Amino acid sequence: MVQLNDPNNRGDFLSDARQELAGMLQDGLSHPSTKPVLAWGAIGAVAAVVLPFVTIPVGLAAGAGYQFYKRVRPN
């Protein structure tokens, strides 16, 4: 099994993201990445309320997407 966040692992981003997402879907809220991704999605949705040109779903997706990317590629 490939360890995510391992500095010696320079695997493909898509396969790492797929593996991380599968773990999040399988483990639910007990997975270490689920809560931060959901929290950043909520932060993005709240920020979208303040910004006039961003809708709430776009803010949610941007916040969750950013945190998901940082969980898969921390550097």
Side-chain angles (χ1 to χ4, degrees):
M1 182 171 152
V2 175
Q3 288 292 330
L4 295 175
N5 301 332
D6 181 11
N8 296 325
N9 178 21
R10 296 290 177 207
D12 182 30
F13 173 75
L14 290 178
S15 63
D16 290 346
R18 188 178 318 122
Q19 182 181 3
E20 184 74 6
L21 184 60
M24 289 171 64
L25 291 172
Q26 184 178 15
D27 296 341
L29 287 175
S30 64
H31 193 276
S33 293
T34 304
K35 290 179 186 176
V37 169
L38 291 176
W40 274 81
I43 291 168
V46 169
V49 170
V50 177
L51 298 172
F53 54 88
V54 179
T55 63
I56 291 173
V58 171
L60 181 112
Y66 171 76
Q67 184 60 26
F68 182 75
Y69 176 78
K70 294 306 286 181
R71 296 293 292 189
V72 175
R73 291 287 187 257
N75 295 331

